[in-house]
Amino acid sequence: IRYFKELGIKVNAAQNPLDLDIPENKLLLAVYLSIPEIDNDKRSLNIKECIYQAKLAGKCTNLAPRGYVNKQIDDKHKYVEIIPKDAEFIKRIFNEVAEGLKSPNYIRKQYAREGFKMSLNAFMNMLRNPFYCGIIYVAPYQDKDEQFIKGLHEPIIDKDLFDKVQNVLGSKSNHKPKLTKKIHPD
């Protein structure tokens, strides 16, 4: 307010204008400014609680990952649906990574040539996302620990395949052959 006053701009309340030259009115201005802030904080807490409860119910609360699309029946009924073309690519990708014969980056580049393009970071996040096997990750909230909940959406891959991919991605051993360069077909 002092900054605006130095610029010659008078700041005041729209509904109940105050004479800010009277020192006591600054207290009323502080009340006018703090009430919307408190309201915003209450709404924020309510939204966070609703998102947490929706995740505990197995719902997707944000933008669906690649291979899925968000659908809406009405304002309160939303769900995710599989995109068949992308789901086929994702199944094949998970199967190839689970074999452990090719590096994930090589597989990513191979599928990019087929039209399934994504950055390496997004690709690795996809491989680590339990959403694809029908599980919703619920982050820690207040005094509650993180949880993994069975989602209401249809999984693209099964849990066993997802676990195999996690083992391949998590293994530090170099005894498995990794294909990183293009091999001549002959």
Side-chain angles (χ1 to χ4, degrees), residues 18-145:
L18 301 170
D19 182 8
L20 295 179
D21 293 332
I22 301 171
E24 289 81 14
N25 285 346
K26 290 182 180 176
L27 178 63
L28 287 174
L29 180 64
V31 170
Y32 289 160
L33 295 174
S34 62
I35 289 174
E37 183 69 22
I38 292 168
D39 187 50
N40 286 344
D41 289 347
K42 284 171 51 178
R43 287 175 193 238
S44 175
L45 289 174
N46 188 27
I47 289 170
K48 287 178 185 175
E49 180 66 30
C50 289
I51 289 172
Y52 179 75
Q53 292 301 324
K55 283 188 174 186
L56 285 180
K59 295 179 180 177
C60 178
T61 59
N62 48 9
L63 185 64
R66 183 134 185 209
Y68 291 93
V69 64
N70 293 78
K71 295 283 187 167
Q72 184 170 342
I73 298 171
D74 55 41
D75 288 341
K76 295 191 179 214
H77 297 91
K78 300 174 184 176
Y79 65 100
V80 291
E81 189 175 273
I82 291 177
I83 301 171
K85 182 181 177 190
D86 285 354
E88 286 305 313
F89 278 117
I90 291 168
K91 283 178 191 175
R92 290 174 34 209
I93 288 168
F94 270 89
N95 282 315
E96 282 194 47
V97 172
E99 289 174 4
L101 300 176
K102 302 173 188 173
S103 72
N105 192 35
Y106 179 83
I107 294 169
R108 178 186 70 86
K109 289 177 182 177
Q110 175 184 335
Y111 282 92
R113 288 188 292 272
E114 293 183 34
F116 193 79
K117 296 181 180 180
M118 50 187 347
S119 69
L120 178 59
N121 191 35
F123 187 79
M124 296 306 288
N125 286 341
M126 178 187 75
L127 293 175
R128 289 189 169 92
N129 191 347
F131 193 89
Y132 291 101
C133 68
I135 296 174
I136 300 282
Y137 171 73
V138 182
Y141 179 70
Q142 293 178 346
D143 61 342
K144 300 164 184 96
D145 295 332

